[in-house]
Amino acid sequence: MTLVLSCLSYLCCLVYIDDTIVLGRTFDENVANLDTVLQRFRQANLKLKPTKCKIFQRRASFLGHIVSAEGVEVNTKKFNA
């Protein structure tokens, strides 16, 4: 994943092993970034499992954290466990 999304990490997406989160400040920026990431996946012949994909979320759980417009915070469900 790091090779497939090289030069995009931290600009429009975050990657860890096989988990990817696409970021954008606005809806249009998010759509453009998602298109870029999906093109890279297509070029690498990678397939996504639709049931594991969540798009256009205002808050998302990623690696034990909650990512949102407010920033990154600890996922209390993981923290309490």
Side-chain angles (χ1 to χ4, degrees):
M1 293 303 287
T2 303
L3 293 174
V4 170
L5 298 174
S6 65
C7 301
L8 295 180
S9 250
Y10 298 103
L11 295 176
C12 70
C13 64
L14 301 174
V15 179
Y16 181 76
I17 303 177
D18 65 344
D19 290 334
T20 305
I21 187 167
V22 179
L23 311 168
R25 294 176 196 252
T26 65
F27 181 78
D28 291 334
E29 183 180 353
N30 200 308
V31 170
N33 292 343
L34 181 61
D35 184 52
T36 302
V37 169
L38 291 176
Q39 283 179 13
R40 292 281 184 101
F41 287 162
R42 192 174 304 116
Q43 290 169 353
N45 292 319
L46 294 175
K47 295 180 182 179
L48 303 177
K49 187 173 182 178
T51 57
K52 293 182 111 182
C53 296
K54 296 179 182 177
I55 60 171
F56 306 125
Q57 302 290 305
R58 294 193 181 272
R59 295 173 54 87
S61 176
F62 186 70
L63 303 176
H65 294 83
I66 301 294
V67 181
S68 69
E70 290 79 39
V72 179
E73 54 193 82
V74 175
N75 186 346
T76 55
K77 291 180 184 176
K78 298 285 184 179
F79 182 75
N80 291 333

